Structure formats: C-alpha cells, structure tokens
Amino acid sequence: MHSAILFGLITALGCFGPLAAPANAQQFPAKLVKFVVPQAPGGATDVFARKIGQVLSEQWGQPIIIENRAGAGGVVGTDVVAKAPPDGYTLLVTYAGSQAINASLYPKLPFDTIKDFQTVATLAVTPFVLIVHPKLPANNLAEFIALAKAKPGALTYASSGNGSVNHLLGEMLKAEAGISMLHVPYRGVAPAITDVIGGQVDAAFSSVPSVVQMVRAGNVRALAVSSARHIAIAPEIPTIAESGFPGFEVNPWWGILAPAGTDMAIVRKINNDVSNILRTSEMIDFLATQGAEPLISSPQEFLGILQADVVKWAKVVKDAGVTIN
C-alpha cells in the first residue's frame, strides 16, 4: 500500500519535473547575477572573473557584478556563496588555492568544500612564476638556490597568506632543493608583489596574470615557472622541472561554482555558455596574454578535478607542516 502511494507520488512529481527544469533554464538569467571572488582585486581570480563576467553579461543581456569578498585565505567569500540561495544568481569564481587547499588548512571550515557546492564550469589553468627583486644576485633558479644555501634563512619570500598556493610552492621548493628561506605572509598577492618590487622581500611565487606586466617592465625578474611546459606569453622563462627538479609541476585551475542544490538545467546552461566562450579566439587570446590556457570541462569532470586536488594538496600541506596560526 505504502509503496503504491509512493510510486504514485513519484509519478506525479515526475510529470512536473521535466517541464519545470527547462523552463527555469530558458528564463535564466532574468535579473542581475553576482560573481563572488574570495580574493582581493588585482589577482588572477579577479582578472578572470571580470573578463568572463563581461562576455557573459553581453550574451545574457543581464548585468553581472563582481563582488570581492577577501579574507581568511578565501574562506569568507566562499562561505557567502555556500549559504546563498541555490538559484544560480550568486556564483563563486575561485581557484584551486582556495577551494582545494583550505579543507586541509582550516580545522573547522563553516562549509564543506565539496558537498556544499555544485561544480559549474572550469575557466583556465595558469602556472605560478618565481620572481625576485631585480638587484638580487640570482639570474636563474640555480643561482637563487646557491644563494639560499650560502645564507641559510637569510632569503625571504612573500606570499598572499599562510597556506596559499604561493606559500606552499615556496615550501615545496624548500623541500625539493634542501634550502631554508623565511616566509613573509601578506594579505593578498598585490602587496606581496609590491614589496618584492620595493626590495622589502627577496622573492615570491605569483600567478602569471598577477605579475606578467611587472616582469615585462623589468620591475621584477622571473626565474622559473611552476608548470611542466613553458608558457606562450614568456617562453624564455625556464620551468622548475627543467632547472633540476623533474616532476615539479603546479598548474592550478580557476572555475565557477554554485551553492549545492542549484537546478542542474541552470548549471548545464552556464557550463555550455562558458565553454562556448572559452572556445572563441577572443577568449583564447585574452587568456594567452595572461599566461593562461582555457580549461573546458563538464560539471561532473570539474567535480573529479576538485576531489583529486583536495587529496593532492592535503599531502603537500601535511608534508610542509603548514598550519594556520
């Protein structure tokens, strides 16, 4: 008896389901959409969010606003989206550094990195580059490591905060090269780069979009990139892997997530629209100028990437002994 009633309910609901979902997707977006960026303005996440937001806004005929909600290594802005209505109008534009690493750094996150979000669309991958103050007597990675070995603990490297990708890259290099450097955390990558330019700190790892103009202008010297391959925008910069550390590869992703429970018809629409934009020569060229490449995936593939990264970075955090004080 109960099963018959249940079957009847499922059948009845099934009649409405297929009609409701496409209608939602067809009408979406019917109003302003908000992109929450959990980092400060000026970094790669902000750059990518503004560009994809501009093109999507033109396509959708609806305004898209970028809201920078920095704090606690991305936790503040991420939490805003985790608790937002799952209607597609509040989306998170973030990167592996926040979404995949924070689960290992913060013992009590106010959200679950995976369960409280719906993966929507990946945007790009871009490596990080090791930059130094132009007057530092190191023209390549080998000279930098020799300098660090000659003066243990004397060299300083800046990051955008404890546990950030640029912090962990510094720790990975220290471990691989057997050197000692002093970590100087900042609140965001912009002030970190500013102090490398000013000579207050010796070095930093920074995403290519955040620092490419400073490298071009000669404000900083680029020693090596963290990806396995050279980057098209600056092919002269060697990779860390070819500079004596084979297997060293960090090439983080950027992407869009929504609150868990968002209508999959809306998710698929956003994914489809973003994927089509990423295939255009305009977007490929724009990303190339930022030292990035488009990364196109389905929502399910994106989920797999996120899950794998959570595991990968947990090992890095543990091996480096990084804690949030």
Side-chain angles (χ1 to χ4, degrees):
M1 178 69 184
H2 291 302
S3 58
I5 293 168
L6 184 61
F7 178 76
L9 276 169
I10 292 168
T11 307
L13 288 168
C15 294
F16 294 107
L19 292 172
N24 287 346
Q26 282 165 10
Q27 291 158 6
F28 179 88
K31 60 180 181 180
L32 179 148
V33 176
K34 183 162 66 178
F35 279 0
V36 176
V37 173
Q39 278 86 34
T45 312
D46 186 62
V47 169
F48 295 154
R50 289 180 191 280
K51 181 62 179 178
I52 199 79
Q54 173 206 329
V55 182
L56 273 176
S57 177
E58 289 165 5
Q59 278 195 13
W60 288 348
Q62 294 291 350
I64 293 177
I65 60 160
I66 310 298
E67 189 176 292
N68 295 90
R69 297 289 291 267
V75 172
V76 173
T78 308
D79 191 41
V80 167
V81 179
K83 303 203 170 25
D87 55 10
Y89 289 97
T90 302
L91 300 168
L92 180 70
V93 181
T94 190
Y95 83 121
S98 289
Q99 204 67 19
I101 297 176
N102 284 346
S104 301
L105 286 173
Y106 294 88
K108 290 184 179 177
L109 280 179
F111 51 80
D112 185 293
T113 294
I114 294 171
K115 291 177 184 170
D116 289 339
F117 295 91
Q118 168 60 54
T119 44
V120 178
T122 46
L123 297 174
V125 288
T126 180
F128 279 58
V129 59
L130 175 62
I131 56 165
V132 296
H133 182 65
K135 290 184 179 169
L136 194 78
N139 292 304
N140 54 49
L141 188 60
E143 289 179 7
F144 180 79
I145 288 166
L147 195 63
K149 285 185 173 176
K151 300 178 178 179
L155 281 184
T156 54
Y157 77 99
S159 81
S160 58
N162 277 327
S164 59
V165 168
N166 35 32
H167 174 204
L168 293 176
L169 276 164
E171 295 298 322
M172 287 166 73
L173 183 63
K174 279 166 61 178
E176 291 264 349
I179 55 175
S180 172
M181 296 188 292
L182 179 66
H183 173 229
V184 185
Y186 285 77
R187 296 184 69 170
V189 76
I193 294 169
T194 299
D195 275 9
V196 176
I197 293 170
Q200 284 86 357
V201 281
D202 298 313
F205 274 100
S206 171
S207 66
V208 176
S210 305
V211 81
V212 66
Q213 299 307 329
M214 289 77 159
V215 172
R216 286 266 159 84
N219 302 127
V220 293
R221 182 186 300 131
L223 298 187
V225 291
S226 65
S227 53
R229 294 179 299 152
H230 288 219
I231 49 171
I233 189 174
E236 72 280 1
I237 305 174
T239 67
I240 294 173
E242 72 187 1
S243 303
F245 305 97
F248 195 112
E249 182 184 5
V250 176
N251 205 24
W253 52 261
W254 273 255
I256 300 172
L257 294 96
T262 301
D263 187 335
M264 282 309 294
I266 291 173
V267 170
R268 281 190 291 270
K269 175 183 168 45
I270 299 170
N271 178 280
N272 188 56
D273 291 350
V274 168
S275 298
N276 287 337
I277 290 168
L278 292 175
R279 290 186 182 97
T280 64
S281 56
E282 178 200 354
M283 188 55 74
I284 292 167
D285 292 348
F286 170 78
L287 290 172
T289 66
Q290 302 295 323
E293 294 177 354
L295 178 63
I296 299 170
S297 67
S298 69
Q300 193 60 34
E301 286 166 341
F302 184 10
L303 175 60
I305 292 168
L306 173 58
Q307 289 170 328
D309 261 13
V310 168
V311 174
K312 179 182 99 173
W313 285 107
K315 184 180 185 307
V316 174
V317 169
K318 187 181 177 188
D319 290 351
V322 176
T323 55
I324 296 297
N325 300 320

